[in-house]
Each structure stands twice: as structure tokens, then as C-alpha cells.
């Protein structure tokens, strides 16, 4: 018993240490975004001047709008493609085919971002596509689709196939089964995939860095470019804003997941 308690304490202590190691730099960055001075080594007083500078920067605001447009559009397209991709894997008759399709889906999940970005760059160059909004959008859709599939497919696997059989026996066609049974059941997974796709798009740097053009940029690439020329605390303010937005998306995803678990339990009880 004492050994178990000691192991639990060590595990909790290690977990706390890991979280401190991960979040301390982020909170340090956010803390100095409120600094009245211009540097991160001396806090000279509380101020929102850097946030005002950030919103006054028209180029930065344009890039902010571009980033959210790409995130929303890529998430919508990836959710649509990923949902039907999950349905295709779910309806595969042979287990070997299902395993192969799922493995192909997971390639983008396990491949290094640098390799993915370089591959997209080579592809767009060979096709003669000008780097910019379209290339960034297509790349974000491509690496977001596997995320959506992995969110939707487990939800489909939990569904009782007898529901589909019963619907067909009662005269429902394939479209009615899809719209009234399958999609409503998979809806929590679809929403979770959508919000996760937005989060991945907002946070991506490596892939976007390869496929963005000279006349189009996203926040991650812009922050990197500005940080190389010198530390500007408006970057801290922008990073703090993006962290809060990402945190809100994760919280929304958490509540969607909890809701899905509760609905599943309610269905089991009924």
C-alpha cells in the first residue's frame, strides 16, 4: 500500500513538472506582453500598449484575417472529406481493405511536417501552381483530413449496425439512412474533428512555411519572420491572443467529447 502511494506521488510530481516545463515559457511570453517597456528582461509596469500596437498594425490584421479564413475553409472542407472518408472505411467489406485504407489515412499523421511541406512544395511546383492562398488552403485540407477521419471513425464503429439494417427494412433509402441515422449519431465526432482541424490549421508552421507565397502569409510564418529580425512585444501580444483562441477551441472540443460520452451512456441505459 505504501509503495503504491509513493508511486502515485512520484507520478503526480512528474506530471506537474512536465506541465510546468511545457507551459512556463508560454506564460512567460504572455506575462511580458503586458509590459510597459519594450524588452522581455525587465518588467517596467503593466500596459496594454503592445496590444494596441498589434491591432494598429494593418498588415498584421490582414494576416490575422487570412489565417482565420484558411483555418475555417480548410476545416470545413476537411470535415466534409474526412467524414465521407470515415464512412468509406467504415463500410469497407474486407478487413484487409479497411486496414489498408486506415493505414494510408494515417501516413500524414506520422510523417514529419518538414517532409510533408517539402512534398507539397515539389508537387505544386511541378503542377505550376502559384504559391499563395490556394496552396496553403489545399495543404491544410490535406493534413486535416486524417484528423477528422480519426475523430469520426471511432464514433461510427460504436454505432449498432442493426440500426441501419432496421432502417432499410422499414423502407428507408441510403440517403435517408445517412441523414437521419448515421450523421446524427456521428455528429459529436464530426464537430470534434472540425474544431481540431481549425486548431491544427491555426498552429501549423512547418507545412505552411513551404507552401506560402510572397504575397500571402499566415500568423505562424509572420511571427517567425518578425522574431528573426528582433523581439517585438507586439509578437508576444499576438501569440497570447492565439494561445487564448486555441485554448477556447480545445475547451469546446472537450465539452463536445463529454457530451458525446454522456449521450453514449444514455443510449446504453435506455
Amino acid at each position: 500500500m505504501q509503495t503504491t502511494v509513493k508511486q502515485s506521488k512520484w507520478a503526480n510530481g512528474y506530471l506537474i513538472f512536465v506541465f510546468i516545463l511545457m507551459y512556463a515559457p508560454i506564460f512567460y511570453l504572455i506575462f511580458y506582453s503586458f509590459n510597459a517597456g519594450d524588452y522581455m528582461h525587465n518588467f517596467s509596469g503593466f500596459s496594454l500598449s503592445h496590444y494596441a500596437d498589434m491591432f494598429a498594425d494593418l498588415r498584421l490584421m490582414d494576416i490575422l484575417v487570412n489565417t482565420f479564413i484558411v483555418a475555417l475553409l480548410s476545416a470545413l472542407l476537411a470535415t466534409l472529406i474526412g467524414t465521407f472518408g470515415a464512412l468509406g472505411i467504415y463500410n469497407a467489406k474486407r478487413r484487409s481493405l479497411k486496414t489498408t485504407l486506415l493505414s494510408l489515412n494515417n501516413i500524414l499523421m506520422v510523417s514529419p511536417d518538414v517532409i510533408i511541406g517539402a512534398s507539397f512544395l515539389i508537387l505544386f511546383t511541378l503542377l505550376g501552381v502559384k504559391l499563395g492562398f490556394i496552396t496553403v488552403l489545399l495543404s491544410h485540407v490535406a493534413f486535416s483530413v486524417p484528423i477528422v477521419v480519426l475523430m469520426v471513425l471511432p464514433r461510427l464503429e460504436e454505432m449498432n449496425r442493426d440500426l441501419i439494417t432496421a432502417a432499410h427494412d422499414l423502407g428507408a433509402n441510403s440517403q435517408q439512412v445517412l441523414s437521419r441515422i448515421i450523421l446524427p449519431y456521428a455528429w459529436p465526432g464530426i464537430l470534434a474533428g472540425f474544431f481540431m482541424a481549425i486548431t491544427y490549421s491555426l498552429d501549423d508552421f512547418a507545412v505552411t512555411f513551404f507552401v506560402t507565397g510572397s504575397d500571402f502569409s499566415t500568423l505562424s510564418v509572420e511571427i517567425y519572420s518578425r522574431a528573426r529580425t528582433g523581439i517585438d512585444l507586439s509578437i508576444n501580444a499576438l501569440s497570447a491572443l492565439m494561445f487564448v483562441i486555441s485554448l477556447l477551441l480545445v475547451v469546446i472540443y472537450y465539452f463536445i467529447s463529454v457530451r458525446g460520452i454522456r449521450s453514449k451512456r444514455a443510449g446504453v441505459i435506455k
Side-chain angles (χ1 to χ4, degrees), residues 179-235:
S179 61
R180 298 185 182 183
I181 296 177
I182 297 177
L183 291 182
Y185 193 92
W187 188 243
I190 295 172
L191 283 178
F194 173 73
F195 283 110
M196 289 299 292
I198 291 179
T199 303
Y200 270 73
S201 178
L202 291 175
D203 293 341
D204 179 74
F205 167 75
V207 176
T208 308
F209 181 78
F210 280 92
V211 297
T212 189
S214 58
D215 57 347
F216 184 85
S217 184
T218 62
L219 284 177
S220 58
V221 176
E222 182 69 14
I223 290 173
Y224 172 75
S225 300
R226 295 195 179 196
R228 292 181 62 189
T229 59
I231 298 176
D232 183 355
L233 293 190
S234 62
I235 296 177

Side-chain angles (χ1 to χ4, degrees), residues 3-13:
T3 304
T4 304
V5 173
K6 289 182 179 179
Q7 290 177 346
S8 178
K9 289 182 178 179
W10 277 106
N12 292 336

Side-chain angles (χ1 to χ4, degrees), residues 69-102:
I69 290 175
V70 169
L72 289 173
L73 286 179
S74 63
L76 286 171
L77 292 172
T79 301
L80 181 63
I81 298 171
T83 298
F84 283 99
L87 286 170
I89 297 174
Y90 174 74
N91 291 321
K93 301 297 182 183
R94 291 183 297 172
R95 186 172 183 82
S96 59
L97 177 60
K98 180 180 291 189
T99 302
T100 301
L101 292 174
L102 190 57

Side-chain angles (χ1 to χ4, degrees), residues 31-85:
F31 174 74
Y32 273 97
S33 71
F34 297 102
N35 186 17
D38 296 326
Y39 304 98
M40 293 181 62
H41 57 76
N42 183 25
F43 191 83
S44 55
F46 180 85
S47 175
L48 295 175
S49 59
H50 299 295
Y51 287 88
D53 293 339
M54 176 190 69
F55 286 110
D57 190 334
L58 297 181
R59 170 178 165 79
L60 199 58
M61 290 301 99
D62 286 339
I63 294 175
L64 179 65
V65 173
N66 291 339
T67 302
F68 280 103
I69 290 175
V70 169
L72 289 173
L73 286 179
S74 63
L76 286 171
L77 292 172
T79 301
L80 181 63
I81 298 171
T83 298
F84 283 99

Side-chain angles (χ1 to χ4, degrees), residues 92-233:
K93 301 297 182 183
R94 291 183 297 172
R95 186 172 183 82
S96 59
L97 177 60
K98 180 180 291 189
T99 302
T100 301
L101 292 174
L102 190 57
S103 299
L104 290 174
N105 174 79
N106 294 339
I107 288 177
L108 287 177
M109 295 290 294
V110 299
S111 299
D113 288 344
V114 174
I115 302 300
I116 297 173
S119 300
F120 281 129
L121 176 60
I122 294 171
L123 175 63
F124 293 135
T125 302
L126 291 175
L127 294 177
V129 180
K130 182 181 179 182
L131 298 181
F133 173 77
I134 296 298
T135 55
V136 173
L137 177 63
L138 292 177
S139 301
H140 283 220
V141 171
F143 68 66
S144 296
V145 166
I147 301 168
V148 177
V149 171
L150 292 180
M151 292 292 174
V152 177
L153 187 58
R155 184 69 180 175
L156 294 175
E157 295 289 356
E158 295 171 357
M159 184 174 58
N160 191 342
R161 287 183 179 268
D162 292 338
L163 294 173
I164 300 176
T165 303
H168 283 301
D169 291 341
L170 292 172
N173 56 37
S174 298
Q175 184 178 356
Q176 290 172 328
V177 171
L178 177 65
S179 61
R180 298 185 182 183
I181 296 177
I182 297 177
L183 291 182
Y185 193 92
W187 188 243
I190 295 172
L191 283 178
F194 173 73
F195 283 110
M196 289 299 292
I198 291 179
T199 303
Y200 270 73
S201 178
L202 291 175
D203 293 341
D204 179 74
F205 167 75
V207 176
T208 308
F209 181 78
F210 280 92
V211 297
T212 189
S214 58
D215 57 347
F216 184 85
S217 184
T218 62
L219 284 177
S220 58
V221 176
E222 182 69 14
I223 290 173
Y224 172 75
S225 300
R226 295 195 179 196
R228 292 181 62 189
T229 59
I231 298 176
D232 183 355
L233 293 190

Side-chain angles (χ1 to χ4, degrees), residues 160 163 185 261-270:
N160 191 342
L163 294 173
Y185 193 92
I261 294 173
R262 288 177 178 174
S263 63
K264 177 184 174 182
R265 290 176 179 175
V268 172
I269 294 174
K270 290 181 181 179

